[in-house]
Amino acid sequence: PPHTPIRAAMNSIQQLRFDLNSAQDQPSDVLCGYFKNCTVDPSEEIAKRVDQLGQVFSCRFAQAVGQGCVGLGKQRFCLGVRLYYRVMEAMLKSEEKRLSDKNFSKLLNSSAFHTSLLACALEVIMATYVGSTFKNGDFGSSAFDGTSVETDLCFPWILDVFQLPAFDFYKVIESFIKAEPSLSRDMIKHLERCEHLIMEHLAWRGDSPMFELLQQSHEEGPVEQAEPPAT
Amino acid sequence: NQDYHFGLEDHEGISELFDCD
C-alpha cells in the first residue's frame, strides 16, 4: 500500500506500543537496585513525583483535547512512564560502566533530572501520536487544514505542563538518544529540532537558569585557557 | 542514531550534567 503520512504515523504508533509492551509501569529490579545503592534512597520521591506529574499531565491533556479524553491522556502518560524507567535504567548502566560506580545518589535525587527525563519520554510519545487520531476528522475541521489539536501538544508544550526550564530538558536529550536505540530516524530528527529551538530561543528567556550559571562561571573565572577563536 | 551529531565527550555523561543541582 502507498506510504501515506497517516500510514507512517500508524506504523510508528504500532512500533512504539510493541516496543513498550514488555516494559514495566514500575521500576525494574535492576533499577530498584540502583535506588537502594544510593546514600539517600530516592524510591519514594520518584514514585510520588510520577504520581503528581501524572495528574498534572492528564489534567492539561484533557483541557487541550477535551474532557472526554482524560483516559487517553492517562494512556499516553503510562506509555511515557514505561519509556522513562527503561531509559533511566539504560542510562545508569552506561554511567556505571563509564564511572565504575554504583552510587548515583546525587543524580537520582535530582528533581530536575527526573522531570526532564520523564518530559523527554513523554515528548517522544506525543510526537509519535501527531498525525494520527486527531487527523481523521473526529475533532473538528482543524483536522483537515494541518493544524491538528495534537500538534499543539508537541514541544514545547510539555515544558509548560511540568514548569520545566528548557535548559534542563536540553541536558537529557543526547543521553536519551544514546540510551534508547529503538528511536526512529524521524524521532531523532524531532529531538534535534527541540535541541535547536532551545539553543536558539528557549534557553535565552529571562527566567532561564542559564543566566545564573553564566554569572557563576564569570565570577569563578575561566577554569582553563580559552581556545583560539578559529577553533 | 547515526544521523545525530553527538556533542558530549567520552568523559561527560548525564551525572556531570546534573551535578550542579
Side-chain angles (χ1 to χ4, degrees), chain A residues 95 98-99 106-107 110 112-113 168 171-172 174-175 177-178 185 188 192 195, chain B residues 1 3-8 10-21:
Chain A
E95 286 295 83
R98 188 176 68 86
L99 299 167
K106 203 166 182 181
L107 180 70
S110 162
F113 165 66
D168 284 330
K171 293 182 202 172
V172 297
E174 184 169 329
S175 298
I177 292 172
K178 277 183 178 168
R185 180 184 253 195
I188 292 170
E192 256 184 315
E195 271 192 333
Chain B
N1 302 2
D3 294 338
Y4 182 81
H5 173 75
F6 289 105
L8 290 180
D10 286 343
H11 60 275
E12 291 174 318
I14 197 77
S15 309
E16 283 84 3
L17 292 174
F18 283 92
D19 204 28
C20 52
D21 263 25

